[in-house]
Amino acid sequence: MPKLSQLALKAAMIYLILGALGAAAYWINAMWPFWPPVSAISPTYLHLIVVGWLTQLVMAVMYWMFPVISKQRPRGSPALAWAAVISLNAGLLIRMVFEPWRALQPTALNGYALALSAVLQVCAAILFVGVSWARVRERGGQ
Amino acid sequence: MPRLSRWLIRASMLYLVVGFTLGGLILAAKGDAVDARVWVWLLPHVDILVVGWLIQLAMGMSYWILPRIRNAGRGPTPLAALAMALLNVGLCAGAGSALLPYWFPDLTWTTAAFVAGVLLQTVSLALFVVYAWSRVLPTITASDLAQRGKR
């Protein structure tokens, strides 16, 4: 398994734990309120699970297992693939901090941060598709 | 990777970009960087990413990787192709019509189009399950074949 897939899979597993903890805290707080700010972690926890875990897991496995382009350049541009993973995780981490913060106390800073998070995550999707498109092929290249 | 899987997987990648873009706009609106009316795209954002990206990708991978049927290969491929076609028509009708109120808030038929799109998506997924059912088989390995040879 390439290094990038290893790191992305490990990051995905950490997001799964964070997302599950967030979901548990959110729903327990909804049933038996124990700390009002916990209500601000929705829908952040959901995105940690669906984007951080599920989508990142899919991306990591596709990067690892899809047919290679050629023996010289098996997985396309590694720089673009790294840029996709870094962009996705940076966007998600910014969201994890600033989305609940903005729900509790809107400021200019957390507004800009959410816009930056959005740009990073969209860039990650475009980069990932750019890297993977040529690998959706009948069979691996020579 | 067979042709139908390539179509399904490439289509799913396009939905990934569209779905992330809609989600990104909604997130940016939360930060007051974008017109708040983009919130009307929440439902298509979810539909496109869950059905168009994740489920369609899973369909593409299943068609490629599930065990093949003896003497029938990947089975009734036209059924799987029909499922793909209906899924994408359903997504365009459902999620596509739900995008329109941003520009045309007075349209009255978009709700009916959304319901029709969701129903088409459901029918297509049922068709794909019918297709894939017969391919959920035990995998025959080289050692299984050797064992059979000894008998």
Side-chain angles (χ1 to χ4, degrees), chain B residues 8 13 15-16 20 36 38 46 49 54 63 66 82 85-87 104 113 117 127 142 149:
Chain B
L8 283 160
M13 286 174 162
Y15 285 111
L16 171 72
F20 262 51
V38 297
V46 175
L49 284 176
L54 289 171
Y63 182 78
L66 283 174
L82 177 67
L86 289 182
L87 187 81
F104 311 105
L127 284 177

Side-chain angles (χ1 to χ4, degrees), chain B residues 16-53:
Chain B
L16 171 72
V17 171
V18 174
F20 262 51
T21 304
L22 295 177
L25 286 167
I26 294 168
L27 185 60
K30 207 176 258 190
D32 290 333
V34 169
D35 182 356
R37 286 183 305 136
V38 297
W39 274 97
V40 299
W41 292 341
L42 183 62
L43 203 55
H45 159 66
V46 175
D47 191 26
I48 285 170
L49 284 176
V50 174
V51 181
W53 158 234

Side-chain angles (χ1 to χ4, degrees), chain A residues 9-63:
Chain A
L9 283 172
K10 285 181 176 167
M13 289 189 248
I14 292 170
Y15 282 118
L16 176 64
I17 293 169
L18 291 175
L21 286 174
Y26 177 80
W27 286 105
I28 291 169
N29 188 62
M31 305 287 178
W32 300 293
F34 60 90
W35 192 39
V38 173
S39 62
I41 59 178
S42 177
T44 311
Y45 77 83
L46 197 60
H47 286 87
L48 294 183
I49 294 172
V50 179
V51 180
W53 173 61
L54 192 51
T55 298
Q56 184 158 223
L57 179 105
V58 166
M59 289 174 170
V61 173
M62 283 169 81
Y63 185 74

Side-chain angles (χ1 to χ4, degrees), chain A residues 43 51 54-55 58 62 66-67 88 95 99 102 111 114-115 117-118 121-122 125-126 128-129 132-133 136-138, chain B residues 1-2 5-6 9-11 13-14 16-17 20-21 23-25 27-28 30-33 45 53-54 57 61 64:
Chain A
V51 180
L54 192 51
T55 298
V58 166
M62 283 169 81
F66 267 27
L88 186 80
R95 178 176 199 158
E99 192 178 36
R102 186 163 181 82
L114 288 189
S117 165
Q121 290 179 76
V122 174
I126 294 168
F128 169 73
V129 171
S132 309
W133 195 265
V136 183
R137 55 199 294 144
E138 192 170 1
Chain B
M1 188 187 304
S5 287
R6 299 202 295 272
I9 292 169
R10 283 194 174 144
M13 286 174 162
L14 295 178
L16 171 72
V17 171
F20 262 51
T21 304
L25 286 167
L27 185 60
K30 207 176 258 190
D32 290 333
H45 159 66
W53 158 234
L54 289 171
L57 178 77
M61 296 299 293
W64 177 23

Side-chain angles (χ1 to χ4, degrees), chain A residues 49-133:
Chain A
I49 294 172
V50 179
V51 180
W53 173 61
L54 192 51
T55 298
Q56 184 158 223
L57 179 105
V58 166
M59 289 174 170
V61 173
M62 283 169 81
Y63 185 74
W64 170 30
M65 300 205 88
F66 267 27
V68 295
I69 297 169
S70 66
K71 279 184 182 155
Q72 292 77 33
R73 230 172 109 256
R75 295 185 170 88
S77 165
L80 284 184
W82 277 106
V85 170
I86 291 168
S87 187
L88 186 80
N89 286 283
L92 208 50
L93 288 172
I94 291 171
R95 178 176 199 158
M96 193 171 81
V97 173
F98 289 94
E99 192 178 36
W101 177 10
R102 186 163 181 82
L104 295 170
Q105 187 185 16
T107 63
L109 174 65
N110 53 39
Y112 292 133
L114 288 189
L116 174 65
S117 165
V119 170
L120 285 169
Q121 290 179 76
V122 174
C123 284
I126 294 168
L127 286 167
F128 169 73
V129 171
V131 169
S132 309
W133 195 265

